[in-house]
Amino acid sequence: MTATDSALTALSQGWCALSLLHGRIEAHIERALQAGHDLSVREYSLLDVLSRQHNGPGGHLRMHQVANSVVLSQSATTRLVSRLEDRGLLSRYLCDTDRRGIYTDVSEAGLALLAAARPTNDTALREALDEAARNPELAPLVSAVENLRS
């Protein structure tokens, strides 16, 4: 085995650990959000991203920007937006200055649901991180996540 092989093996093992951490966290949050608010992690993330929009220049995201923000394909994001729109949690409308642009706004019901779900999300995240920190393979990643600053 060459140095390059061992570096690639270490990289692969690191990626596997990161993927495991992500999967465990997402599954824990998913169960909590579904049980408490009938929301998926993706739905919560979409509402959260859209709730940060504001009126005025640069205040709204186009659908492709929303897709990038929630890490979904544009078609999956469109389906997700449609489901939330059907539930009365958001609405879509055409951009005033470019009729090709479609924007979304979170409704009052969507904002209320998001506000109710945020503590559940935060608690589930903390629980999942605490549980993962007890795993020696995941503990360094948990520490890295906890020390990130936006």
Side-chain angles (χ1 to χ4, degrees), residues 26-48 80 83-84 87 89-90 106 109-121:
E26 188 170 64
H28 190 81
I29 294 171
E30 180 82 26
R31 285 189 298 273
L33 288 173
Q34 281 291 344
H37 308 283
D38 193 27
L39 274 178
S40 71
V41 168
R42 297 287 188 208
E43 291 167 337
Y44 175 88
S45 296
L46 181 69
L47 289 173
D48 185 52
L80 182 59
R83 282 197 309 272
L84 293 175
R87 289 174 61 186
L89 301 175
L90 57 81
V106 179
L111 291 173
L113 181 57
L114 181 62
R118 186 168 275 124
T120 302
N121 180 79

PDB file of all heavy atoms in Angstrom, residues 26-48 80 83-84 87 89-90 106 109-121:
ATOM      1  N   GLU A  26     -30.096  13.321  10.908  1.00  0.00           N
ATOM      2  CA  GLU A  26     -31.293  13.562  10.110  1.00  0.00           C
ATOM      3  C   GLU A  26     -32.424  12.613  10.497  1.00  0.00           C
ATOM      4  O   GLU A  26     -33.580  13.028  10.613  1.00  0.00           O
ATOM      5  CB  GLU A  26     -30.974  13.438   8.618  1.00  0.00           C
ATOM      6  CG  GLU A  26     -32.135  13.856   7.741  1.00  0.00           C
ATOM      7  CD  GLU A  26     -31.744  13.971   6.283  1.00  0.00           C
ATOM      8  OE1 GLU A  26     -31.379  12.940   5.685  1.00  0.00           O
ATOM      9  OE2 GLU A  26     -31.820  15.088   5.752  1.00  0.00           O
ATOM     10  N   ALA A  27     -32.114  11.342  10.734  1.00  0.00           N
ATOM     11  CA  ALA A  27     -33.145  10.376  11.122  1.00  0.00           C
ATOM     12  C   ALA A  27     -33.762  10.738  12.473  1.00  0.00           C
ATOM     13  O   ALA A  27     -34.985  10.650  12.654  1.00  0.00           O
ATOM     14  CB  ALA A  27     -32.556   8.968  11.165  1.00  0.00           C
ATOM     15  N   HIS A  28     -32.934  11.181  13.416  1.00  0.00           N
ATOM     16  CA  HIS A  28     -33.442  11.552  14.744  1.00  0.00           C
ATOM     17  C   HIS A  28     -34.356  12.782  14.648  1.00  0.00           C
ATOM     18  O   HIS A  28     -35.448  12.803  15.223  1.00  0.00           O
ATOM     19  CB  HIS A  28     -32.262  11.816  15.693  1.00  0.00           C
ATOM     20  CG  HIS A  28     -32.662  11.977  17.113  1.00  0.00           C
ATOM     21  ND1 HIS A  28     -32.917  10.913  17.944  1.00  0.00           N
ATOM     22  CD2 HIS A  28     -32.878  13.093  17.858  1.00  0.00           C
ATOM     23  CE1 HIS A  28     -33.259  11.357  19.141  1.00  0.00           C
ATOM     24  NE2 HIS A  28     -33.242  12.683  19.111  1.00  0.00           N
ATOM     25  N   ILE A  29     -33.916  13.776  13.900  1.00  0.00           N
ATOM     26  CA  ILE A  29     -34.721  14.991  13.727  1.00  0.00           C
ATOM     27  C   ILE A  29     -36.005  14.670  12.960  1.00  0.00           C
ATOM     28  O   ILE A  29     -37.087  15.166  13.302  1.00  0.00           O
ATOM     29  CB  ILE A  29     -33.915  16.103  13.026  1.00  0.00           C
ATOM     30  CG1 ILE A  29     -32.764  16.564  13.929  1.00  0.00           C
ATOM     31  CG2 ILE A  29     -34.809  17.286  12.663  1.00  0.00           C
ATOM     32  CD1 ILE A  29     -31.778  17.504  13.248  1.00  0.00           C
ATOM     33  N   GLU A  30     -35.900  13.826  11.942  1.00  0.00           N
ATOM     34  CA  GLU A  30     -37.075  13.433  11.147  1.00  0.00           C
ATOM     35  C   GLU A  30     -38.148  12.826  12.045  1.00  0.00           C
ATOM     36  O   GLU A  30     -39.326  13.193  11.949  1.00  0.00           O
ATOM     37  CB  GLU A  30     -36.657  12.427  10.065  1.00  0.00           C
ATOM     38  CG  GLU A  30     -37.792  11.955   9.180  1.00  0.00           C
ATOM     39  CD  GLU A  30     -38.115  12.918   8.052  1.00  0.00           C
ATOM     40  OE1 GLU A  30     -37.243  13.686   7.619  1.00  0.00           O
ATOM     41  OE2 GLU A  30     -39.278  12.905   7.610  1.00  0.00           O
ATOM     42  N   ARG A  31     -37.758  11.881  12.902  1.00  0.00           N
ATOM     43  CA  ARG A  31     -38.738  11.243  13.796  1.00  0.00           C
ATOM     44  C   ARG A  31     -39.397  12.273  14.710  1.00  0.00           C
ATOM     45  O   ARG A  31     -40.607  12.246  14.916  1.00  0.00           O
ATOM     46  CB  ARG A  31     -38.052  10.151  14.625  1.00  0.00           C
ATOM     47  CG  ARG A  31     -37.741   8.897  13.838  1.00  0.00           C
ATOM     48  CD  ARG A  31     -37.266   7.751  14.729  1.00  0.00           C
ATOM     49  NE  ARG A  31     -36.037   8.049  15.446  1.00  0.00           N
ATOM     50  CZ  ARG A  31     -34.817   7.860  14.990  1.00  0.00           C
ATOM     51  NH1 ARG A  31     -34.635   7.381  13.770  1.00  0.00           N
ATOM     52  NH2 ARG A  31     -33.755   8.149  15.731  1.00  0.00           N
ATOM     53  N   ALA A  32     -38.606  13.178  15.256  1.00  0.00           N
ATOM     54  CA  ALA A  32     -39.141  14.180  16.182  1.00  0.00           C
ATOM     55  C   ALA A  32     -40.094  15.141  15.469  1.00  0.00           C
ATOM     56  O   ALA A  32     -41.180  15.452  15.985  1.00  0.00           O
ATOM     57  CB  ALA A  32     -38.002  14.950  16.840  1.00  0.00           C
ATOM     58  N   LEU A  33     -39.709  15.625  14.292  1.00  0.00           N
ATOM     59  CA  LEU A  33     -40.558  16.563  13.553  1.00  0.00           C
ATOM     60  C   LEU A  33     -41.842  15.894  13.066  1.00  0.00           C
ATOM     61  O   LEU A  33     -42.916  16.504  13.104  1.00  0.00           O
ATOM     62  CB  LEU A  33     -39.797  17.166  12.368  1.00  0.00           C
ATOM     63  CG  LEU A  33     -38.714  18.182  12.708  1.00  0.00           C
ATOM     64  CD1 LEU A  33     -37.923  18.565  11.452  1.00  0.00           C
ATOM     65  CD2 LEU A  33     -39.294  19.417  13.374  1.00  0.00           C
ATOM     66  N   GLN A  34     -41.741  14.654  12.602  1.00  0.00           N
ATOM     67  CA  GLN A  34     -42.932  13.938  12.149  1.00  0.00           C
ATOM     68  C   GLN A  34     -43.895  13.719  13.304  1.00  0.00           C
ATOM     69  O   GLN A  34     -45.094  13.960  13.176  1.00  0.00           O
ATOM     70  CB  GLN A  34     -42.554  12.587  11.521  1.00  0.00           C
ATOM     71  CG  GLN A  34     -42.036  12.673  10.115  1.00  0.00           C
ATOM     72  CD  GLN A  34     -43.090  13.069   9.093  1.00  0.00           C
ATOM     73  OE1 GLN A  34     -44.291  13.014   9.322  1.00  0.00           O
ATOM     74  NE2 GLN A  34     -42.629  13.499   7.939  1.00  0.00           N
ATOM     75  N   ALA A  35     -43.354  13.265  14.430  1.00  0.00           N
ATOM     76  CA  ALA A  35     -44.209  12.957  15.581  1.00  0.00           C
ATOM     77  C   ALA A  35     -44.860  14.208  16.157  1.00  0.00           C
ATOM     78  O   ALA A  35     -46.036  14.204  16.506  1.00  0.00           O
ATOM     79  CB  ALA A  35     -43.389  12.249  16.663  1.00  0.00           C
ATOM     80  N   GLY A  36     -44.109  15.281  16.237  1.00  0.00           N
ATOM     81  CA  GLY A  36     -44.614  16.476  16.898  1.00  0.00           C
ATOM     82  C   GLY A  36     -45.348  17.470  16.018  1.00  0.00           C
ATOM     83  O   GLY A  36     -46.178  18.246  16.507  1.00  0.00           O
ATOM     84  N   HIS A  37     -45.035  17.447  14.697  1.00  0.00           N
ATOM     85  CA  HIS A  37     -45.553  18.530  13.857  1.00  0.00           C
ATOM     86  C   HIS A  37     -45.993  18.079  12.459  1.00  0.00           C
ATOM     87  O   HIS A  37     -46.362  18.915  11.635  1.00  0.00           O
ATOM     88  CB  HIS A  37     -44.491  19.626  13.727  1.00  0.00           C
ATOM     89  CG  HIS A  37     -43.967  20.078  15.044  1.00  0.00           C
ATOM     90  ND1 HIS A  37     -44.665  20.929  15.874  1.00  0.00           N
ATOM     91  CD2 HIS A  37     -42.831  19.744  15.717  1.00  0.00           C
ATOM     92  CE1 HIS A  37     -43.971  21.124  16.980  1.00  0.00           C
ATOM     93  NE2 HIS A  37     -42.860  20.412  16.918  1.00  0.00           N
ATOM     94  N   ASP A  38     -45.915  16.786  12.185  1.00  0.00           N
ATOM     95  CA  ASP A  38     -46.253  16.255  10.867  1.00  0.00           C
ATOM     96  C   ASP A  38     -45.453  16.960   9.768  1.00  0.00           C
ATOM     97  O   ASP A  38     -45.985  17.333   8.724  1.00  0.00           O
ATOM     98  CB  ASP A  38     -47.760  16.365  10.596  1.00  0.00           C
ATOM     99  CG  ASP A  38     -48.195  15.545   9.393  1.00  0.00           C
ATOM    100  OD1 ASP A  38     -47.524  14.536   9.087  1.00  0.00           O
ATOM    101  OD2 ASP A  38     -49.189  15.929   8.740  1.00  0.00           O
ATOM    102  N   LEU A  39     -44.159  17.143  10.039  1.00  0.00           N
ATOM    103  CA  LEU A  39     -43.238  17.772   9.088  1.00  0.00           C
ATOM    104  C   LEU A  39     -42.051  16.848   8.864  1.00  0.00           C
ATOM    105  O   LEU A  39     -41.565  16.218   9.805  1.00  0.00           O
ATOM    106  CB  LEU A  39     -42.671  19.078   9.655  1.00  0.00           C
ATOM    107  CG  LEU A  39     -43.407  20.370   9.488  1.00  0.00           C
ATOM    108  CD1 LEU A  39     -42.655  21.496  10.193  1.00  0.00           C
ATOM    109  CD2 LEU A  39     -43.620  20.714   8.032  1.00  0.00           C
ATOM    110  N   SER A  40     -41.560  16.814   7.635  1.00  0.00           N
ATOM    111  CA  SER A  40     -40.305  16.123   7.364  1.00  0.00           C
ATOM    112  C   SER A  40     -39.151  17.106   7.566  1.00  0.00           C
ATOM    113  O   SER A  40     -39.364  18.328   7.658  1.00  0.00           O
ATOM    114  CB  SER A  40     -40.291  15.595   5.931  1.00  0.00           C
ATOM    115  OG  SER A  40     -40.179  16.668   5.007  1.00  0.00           O
ATOM    116  N   VAL A  41     -37.949  16.580   7.611  1.00  0.00           N
ATOM    117  CA  VAL A  41     -36.768  17.439   7.717  1.00  0.00           C
ATOM    118  C   VAL A  41     -36.691  18.372   6.521  1.00  0.00           C
ATOM    119  O   VAL A  41     -36.392  19.562   6.667  1.00  0.00           O
ATOM    120  CB  VAL A  41     -35.474  16.586   7.828  1.00  0.00           C
ATOM    121  CG1 VAL A  41     -34.233  17.442   7.655  1.00  0.00           C
ATOM    122  CG2 VAL A  41     -35.425  15.849   9.146  1.00  0.00           C
ATOM    123  N   ARG A  42     -36.976  17.854   5.328  1.00  0.00           N
ATOM    124  CA  ARG A  42     -36.924  18.680   4.108  1.00  0.00           C
ATOM    125  C   ARG A  42     -37.977  19.787   4.153  1.00  0.00           C
ATOM    126  O   ARG A  42     -37.716  20.918   3.751  1.00  0.00           O
ATOM    127  CB  ARG A  42     -37.121  17.826   2.863  1.00  0.00           C
ATOM    128  CG  ARG A  42     -36.052  16.806   2.644  1.00  0.00           C
ATOM    129  CD  ARG A  42     -34.782  17.446   2.177  1.00  0.00           C
ATOM    130  NE  ARG A  42     -33.842  16.393   1.807  1.00  0.00           N
ATOM    131  CZ  ARG A  42     -32.542  16.542   1.863  1.00  0.00           C
ATOM    132  NH1 ARG A  42     -32.026  17.678   2.249  1.00  0.00           N
ATOM    133  NH2 ARG A  42     -31.753  15.564   1.517  1.00  0.00           N
ATOM    134  N   GLU A  43     -39.174  19.457   4.612  1.00  0.00           N
ATOM    135  CA  GLU A  43     -40.230  20.472   4.714  1.00  0.00           C
ATOM    136  C   GLU A  43     -39.827  21.555   5.710  1.00  0.00           C
ATOM    137  O   GLU A  43     -39.999  22.747   5.443  1.00  0.00           O
ATOM    138  CB  GLU A  43     -41.550  19.823   5.129  1.00  0.00           C
ATOM    139  CG  GLU A  43     -42.151  18.941   4.051  1.00  0.00           C
ATOM    140  CD  GLU A  43     -43.280  18.063   4.543  1.00  0.00           C
ATOM    141  OE1 GLU A  43     -43.358  17.775   5.767  1.00  0.00           O
ATOM    142  OE2 GLU A  43     -44.089  17.647   3.701  1.00  0.00           O
ATOM    143  N   TYR A  44     -39.314  21.125   6.858  1.00  0.00           N
ATOM    144  CA  TYR A  44     -38.849  22.088   7.862  1.00  0.00           C
ATOM    145  C   TYR A  44     -37.759  22.983   7.271  1.00  0.00           C
ATOM    146  O   TYR A  44     -37.803  24.205   7.411  1.00  0.00           O
ATOM    147  CB  TYR A  44     -38.325  21.352   9.102  1.00  0.00           C
ATOM    148  CG  TYR A  44     -37.730  22.285  10.128  1.00  0.00           C
ATOM    149  CD1 TYR A  44     -38.526  22.869  11.097  1.00  0.00           C
ATOM    150  CD2 TYR A  44     -36.376  22.603  10.113  1.00  0.00           C
ATOM    151  CE1 TYR A  44     -37.994  23.748  12.034  1.00  0.00           C
ATOM    152  CE2 TYR A  44     -35.826  23.479  11.036  1.00  0.00           C
ATOM    153  CZ  TYR A  44     -36.643  24.042  11.992  1.00  0.00           C
ATOM    154  OH  TYR A  44     -36.111  24.916  12.903  1.00  0.00           O
ATOM    155  N   SER A  45     -36.788  22.378   6.607  1.00  0.00           N
ATOM    156  CA  SER A  45     -35.681  23.140   6.023  1.00  0.00           C
ATOM    157  C   SER A  45     -36.175  24.147   4.995  1.00  0.00           C
ATOM    158  O   SER A  45     -35.722  25.295   4.963  1.00  0.00           O
ATOM    159  CB  SER A  45     -34.663  22.201   5.364  1.00  0.00           C
ATOM    160  OG  SER A  45     -34.070  21.370   6.312  1.00  0.00           O
ATOM    161  N   LEU A  46     -37.113  23.715   4.165  1.00  0.00           N
ATOM    162  CA  LEU A  46     -37.661  24.609   3.147  1.00  0.00           C
ATOM    163  C   LEU A  46     -38.384  25.790   3.791  1.00  0.00           C
ATOM    164  O   LEU A  46     -38.163  26.948   3.417  1.00  0.00           O
ATOM    165  CB  LEU A  46     -38.606  23.843   2.225  1.00  0.00           C
ATOM    166  CG  LEU A  46     -39.239  24.655   1.101  1.00  0.00           C
ATOM    167  CD1 LEU A  46     -38.193  25.058   0.075  1.00  0.00           C
ATOM    168  CD2 LEU A  46     -40.343  23.868   0.437  1.00  0.00           C
ATOM    169  N   LEU A  47     -39.238  25.513   4.772  1.00  0.00           N
ATOM    170  CA  LEU A  47     -39.934  26.602   5.467  1.00  0.00           C
ATOM    171  C   LEU A  47     -38.945  27.538   6.145  1.00  0.00           C
ATOM    172  O   LEU A  47     -39.114  28.763   6.119  1.00  0.00           O
ATOM    173  CB  LEU A  47     -40.923  26.037   6.498  1.00  0.00           C
ATOM    174  CG  LEU A  47     -42.164  25.348   5.937  1.00  0.00           C
ATOM    175  CD1 LEU A  47     -42.955  24.687   7.059  1.00  0.00           C
ATOM    176  CD2 LEU A  47     -43.035  26.323   5.158  1.00  0.00           C
ATOM    177  N   ASP A  48     -37.901  26.968   6.736  1.00  0.00           N
ATOM    178  CA  ASP A  48     -36.891  27.782   7.409  1.00  0.00           C
ATOM    179  C   ASP A  48     -36.168  28.701   6.421  1.00  0.00           C
ATOM    180  O   ASP A  48     -36.028  29.903   6.671  1.00  0.00           O
ATOM    181  CB  ASP A  48     -35.902  26.874   8.133  1.00  0.00           C
ATOM    182  CG  ASP A  48     -34.902  27.650   8.961  1.00  0.00           C
ATOM    183  OD1 ASP A  48     -35.332  28.490   9.781  1.00  0.00           O
ATOM    184  OD2 ASP A  48     -33.689  27.417   8.794  1.00  0.00           O
ATOM    185  N   LEU A  80     -41.985  19.470  -3.514  1.00  0.00           N
ATOM    186  CA  LEU A  80     -42.053  19.788  -2.090  1.00  0.00           C
ATOM    187  C   LEU A  80     -42.813  21.093  -1.868  1.00  0.00           C
ATOM    188  O   LEU A  80     -43.690  21.177  -0.996  1.00  0.00           O
ATOM    189  CB  LEU A  80     -40.646  19.880  -1.505  1.00  0.00           C
ATOM    190  CG  LEU A  80     -40.509  20.152  -0.018  1.00  0.00           C
ATOM    191  CD1 LEU A  80     -41.196  19.078   0.804  1.00  0.00           C
ATOM    192  CD2 LEU A  80     -39.027  20.224   0.345  1.00  0.00           C
ATOM    193  N   ARG A  83     -46.519  20.463  -2.306  1.00  0.00           N
ATOM    194  CA  ARG A  83     -47.139  19.812  -1.138  1.00  0.00           C
ATOM    195  C   ARG A  83     -47.385  20.814  -0.016  1.00  0.00           C
ATOM    196  O   ARG A  83     -48.444  20.810   0.614  1.00  0.00           O
ATOM    197  CB  ARG A  83     -46.244  18.673  -0.623  1.00  0.00           C
ATOM    198  CG  ARG A  83     -46.317  17.422  -1.441  1.00  0.00           C
ATOM    199  CD  ARG A  83     -45.772  16.200  -0.711  1.00  0.00           C
ATOM    200  NE  ARG A  83     -44.455  16.354  -0.133  1.00  0.00           N
ATOM    201  CZ  ARG A  83     -43.308  16.112  -0.765  1.00  0.00           C
ATOM    202  NH1 ARG A  83     -43.308  15.729  -2.028  1.00  0.00           N
ATOM    203  NH2 ARG A  83     -42.160  16.256  -0.145  1.00  0.00           N
ATOM    204  N   LEU A  84     -46.407  21.675   0.227  1.00  0.00           N
ATOM    205  CA  LEU A  84     -46.572  22.670   1.293  1.00  0.00           C
ATOM    206  C   LEU A  84     -47.604  23.726   0.909  1.00  0.00           C
ATOM    207  O   LEU A  84     -48.338  24.223   1.770  1.00  0.00           O
ATOM    208  CB  LEU A  84     -45.224  23.305   1.642  1.00  0.00           C
ATOM    209  CG  LEU A  84     -44.217  22.361   2.287  1.00  0.00           C
ATOM    210  CD1 LEU A  84     -42.873  23.057   2.485  1.00  0.00           C
ATOM    211  CD2 LEU A  84     -44.732  21.825   3.612  1.00  0.00           C
ATOM    212  N   ARG A  87     -50.989  22.375   1.563  1.00  0.00           N
ATOM    213  CA  ARG A  87     -51.281  22.388   3.003  1.00  0.00           C
ATOM    214  C   ARG A  87     -51.502  23.803   3.530  1.00  0.00           C
ATOM    215  O   ARG A  87     -51.763  24.002   4.716  1.00  0.00           O
ATOM    216  CB  ARG A  87     -50.131  21.741   3.783  1.00  0.00           C
ATOM    217  CG  ARG A  87     -50.050  20.248   3.578  1.00  0.00           C
ATOM    218  CD  ARG A  87     -48.839  19.625   4.229  1.00  0.00           C
ATOM    219  NE  ARG A  87     -48.807  19.809   5.673  1.00  0.00           N
ATOM    220  CZ  ARG A  87     -47.778  19.445   6.433  1.00  0.00           C
ATOM    221  NH1 ARG A  87     -46.716  18.863   5.887  1.00  0.00           N
ATOM    222  NH2 ARG A  87     -47.803  19.646   7.735  1.00  0.00           N
ATOM    223  N   LEU A  89     -49.228  26.202   3.702  1.00  0.00           N
ATOM    224  CA  LEU A  89     -48.073  26.674   4.464  1.00  0.00           C
ATOM    225  C   LEU A  89     -47.211  27.666   3.691  1.00  0.00           C
ATOM    226  O   LEU A  89     -46.374  28.351   4.287  1.00  0.00           O
ATOM    227  CB  LEU A  89     -47.222  25.474   4.917  1.00  0.00           C
ATOM    228  CG  LEU A  89     -47.978  24.465   5.793  1.00  0.00           C
ATOM    229  CD1 LEU A  89     -47.106  23.259   6.084  1.00  0.00           C
ATOM    230  CD2 LEU A  89     -48.459  25.130   7.077  1.00  0.00           C
ATOM    231  N   LEU A  90     -47.421  27.752   2.387  1.00  0.00           N
ATOM    232  CA  LEU A  90     -46.721  28.752   1.578  1.00  0.00           C
ATOM    233  C   LEU A  90     -47.491  29.009   0.304  1.00  0.00           C
ATOM    234  O   LEU A  90     -48.457  28.315   0.000  1.00  0.00           O
ATOM    235  CB  LEU A  90     -45.274  28.329   1.286  1.00  0.00           C
ATOM    236  CG  LEU A  90     -44.996  27.000   0.592  1.00  0.00           C
ATOM    237  CD1 LEU A  90     -45.181  27.114  -0.911  1.00  0.00           C
ATOM    238  CD2 LEU A  90     -43.567  26.587   0.887  1.00  0.00           C
ATOM    239  N   VAL A 106     -43.761  32.107   2.715  1.00  0.00           N
ATOM    240  CA  VAL A 106     -44.334  31.290   3.772  1.00  0.00           C
ATOM    241  C   VAL A 106     -45.578  32.014   4.287  1.00  0.00           C
ATOM    242  O   VAL A 106     -45.550  33.219   4.542  1.00  0.00           O
ATOM    243  CB  VAL A 106     -43.324  31.069   4.917  1.00  0.00           C
ATOM    244  CG1 VAL A 106     -43.925  30.232   6.025  1.00  0.00           C
ATOM    245  CG2 VAL A 106     -42.062  30.409   4.378  1.00  0.00           C
ATOM    246  N   ALA A 109     -49.712  30.553   8.539  1.00  0.00           N
ATOM    247  CA  ALA A 109     -49.796  29.190   9.086  1.00  0.00           C
ATOM    248  C   ALA A 109     -48.436  28.498   9.016  1.00  0.00           C
ATOM    249  O   ALA A 109     -48.045  27.779   9.944  1.00  0.00           O
ATOM    250  CB  ALA A 109     -50.843  28.378   8.331  1.00  0.00           C
ATOM    251  N   GLY A 110     -47.711  28.727   7.928  1.00  0.00           N
ATOM    252  CA  GLY A 110     -46.374  28.145   7.787  1.00  0.00           C
ATOM    253  C   GLY A 110     -45.401  28.705   8.806  1.00  0.00           C
ATOM    254  O   GLY A 110     -44.593  27.970   9.391  1.00  0.00           O
ATOM    255  N   LEU A 111     -45.479  30.014   9.038  1.00  0.00           N
ATOM    256  CA  LEU A 111     -44.605  30.645  10.043  1.00  0.00           C
ATOM    257  C   LEU A 111     -44.934  30.143  11.446  1.00  0.00           C
ATOM    258  O   LEU A 111     -44.022  29.907  12.258  1.00  0.00           O
ATOM    259  CB  LEU A 111     -44.731  32.168   9.969  1.00  0.00           C
ATOM    260  CG  LEU A 111     -44.148  32.822   8.719  1.00  0.00           C
ATOM    261  CD1 LEU A 111     -44.500  34.313   8.686  1.00  0.00           C
ATOM    262  CD2 LEU A 111     -42.644  32.615   8.634  1.00  0.00           C
ATOM    263  N   ALA A 112     -46.223  29.961  11.720  1.00  0.00           N
ATOM    264  CA  ALA A 112     -46.629  29.459  13.038  1.00  0.00           C
ATOM    265  C   ALA A 112     -46.140  28.028  13.235  1.00  0.00           C
ATOM    266  O   ALA A 112     -45.639  27.673  14.317  1.00  0.00           O
ATOM    267  CB  ALA A 112     -48.150  29.534  13.183  1.00  0.00           C
ATOM    268  N   LEU A 113     -46.282  27.196  12.205  1.00  0.00           N
ATOM    269  CA  LEU A 113     -45.806  25.818  12.301  1.00  0.00           C
ATOM    270  C   LEU A 113     -44.292  25.776  12.465  1.00  0.00           C
ATOM    271  O   LEU A 113     -43.761  25.007  13.285  1.00  0.00           O
ATOM    272  CB  LEU A 113     -46.229  25.027  11.065  1.00  0.00           C
ATOM    273  CG  LEU A 113     -45.819  23.555  11.020  1.00  0.00           C
ATOM    274  CD1 LEU A 113     -46.341  22.791  12.230  1.00  0.00           C
ATOM    275  CD2 LEU A 113     -46.301  22.913   9.720  1.00  0.00           C
ATOM    276  N   LEU A 114     -43.596  26.603  11.721  1.00  0.00           N
ATOM    277  CA  LEU A 114     -42.140  26.675  11.837  1.00  0.00           C
ATOM    278  C   LEU A 114     -41.725  27.093  13.239  1.00  0.00           C
ATOM    279  O   LEU A 114     -40.822  26.494  13.840  1.00  0.00           O
ATOM    280  CB  LEU A 114     -41.583  27.654  10.795  1.00  0.00           C
ATOM    281  CG  LEU A 114     -40.070  27.824  10.775  1.00  0.00           C
ATOM    282  CD1 LEU A 114     -39.374  26.513  10.425  1.00  0.00           C
ATOM    283  CD2 LEU A 114     -39.693  28.911   9.763  1.00  0.00           C
ATOM    284  N   ALA A 115     -42.395  28.090  13.797  1.00  0.00           N
ATOM    285  CA  ALA A 115     -42.072  28.557  15.150  1.00  0.00           C
ATOM    286  C   ALA A 115     -42.324  27.450  16.180  1.00  0.00           C
ATOM    287  O   ALA A 115     -41.537  27.273  17.118  1.00  0.00           O
ATOM    288  CB  ALA A 115     -42.895  29.801  15.492  1.00  0.00           C
ATOM    289  N   ALA A 116     -43.404  26.699  15.985  1.00  0.00           N
ATOM    290  CA  ALA A 116     -43.710  25.599  16.905  1.00  0.00           C
ATOM    291  C   ALA A 116     -42.706  24.460  16.748  1.00  0.00           C
ATOM    292  O   ALA A 116     -42.348  23.798  17.730  1.00  0.00           O
ATOM    293  CB  ALA A 116     -45.128  25.091  16.662  1.00  0.00           C
ATOM    294  N   ALA A 117     -42.237  24.224  15.524  1.00  0.00           N
ATOM    295  CA  ALA A 117     -41.335  23.096  15.251  1.00  0.00           C
ATOM    296  C   ALA A 117     -39.871  23.409  15.563  1.00  0.00           C
ATOM    297  O   ALA A 117     -39.087  22.485  15.789  1.00  0.00           O
ATOM    298  CB  ALA A 117     -41.471  22.685  13.786  1.00  0.00           C
ATOM    299  N   ARG A 118     -39.507  24.673  15.590  1.00  0.00           N
ATOM    300  CA  ARG A 118     -38.092  25.031  15.794  1.00  0.00           C
ATOM    301  C   ARG A 118     -37.527  24.456  17.095  1.00  0.00           C
ATOM    302  O   ARG A 118     -36.444  23.853  17.075  1.00  0.00           O
ATOM    303  CB  ARG A 118     -37.902  26.542  15.702  1.00  0.00           C
ATOM    304  CG  ARG A 118     -36.427  26.942  15.751  1.00  0.00           C
ATOM    305  CD  ARG A 118     -36.188  28.388  15.364  1.00  0.00           C
ATOM    306  NE  ARG A 118     -36.101  28.449  13.902  1.00  0.00           N
ATOM    307  CZ  ARG A 118     -36.864  29.212  13.129  1.00  0.00           C
ATOM    308  NH1 ARG A 118     -37.783  29.974  13.647  1.00  0.00           N
ATOM    309  NH2 ARG A 118     -36.708  29.200  11.823  1.00  0.00           N
ATOM    310  N   PRO A 119     -38.200  24.580  18.249  1.00  0.00           N
ATOM    311  CA  PRO A 119     -37.646  23.975  19.463  1.00  0.00           C
ATOM    312  C   PRO A 119     -37.510  22.449  19.367  1.00  0.00           C
ATOM    313  O   PRO A 119     -36.544  21.883  19.893  1.00  0.00           O
ATOM    314  CB  PRO A 119     -38.647  24.363  20.553  1.00  0.00           C
ATOM    315  CG  PRO A 119     -39.374  25.551  20.019  1.00  0.00           C
ATOM    316  CD  PRO A 119     -39.400  25.375  18.529  1.00  0.00           C
ATOM    317  N   THR A 120     -38.451  21.806  18.682  1.00  0.00           N
ATOM    318  CA  THR A 120     -38.369  20.363  18.482  1.00  0.00           C
ATOM    319  C   THR A 120     -37.131  20.022  17.657  1.00  0.00           C
ATOM    320  O   THR A 120     -36.378  19.103  17.992  1.00  0.00           O
ATOM    321  CB  THR A 120     -39.633  19.839  17.770  1.00  0.00           C
ATOM    322  OG1 THR A 120     -40.772  20.179  18.549  1.00  0.00           O
ATOM    323  CG2 THR A 120     -39.572  18.347  17.535  1.00  0.00           C
ATOM    324  N   ASN A 121     -36.915  20.766  16.587  1.00  0.00           N
ATOM    325  CA  ASN A 121     -35.744  20.568  15.732  1.00  0.00           C
ATOM    326  C   ASN A 121     -34.460  20.762  16.537  1.00  0.00           C
ATOM    327  O   ASN A 121     -33.549  19.932  16.485  1.00  0.00           O
ATOM    328  CB  ASN A 121     -35.798  21.541  14.553  1.00  0.00           C
ATOM    329  CG  ASN A 121     -34.611  21.389  13.626  1.00  0.00           C
ATOM    330  OD1 ASN A 121     -34.570  20.477  12.802  1.00  0.00           O
ATOM    331  ND2 ASN A 121     -33.646  22.280  13.763  1.00  0.00           N
TER     332      ASN A 121
END
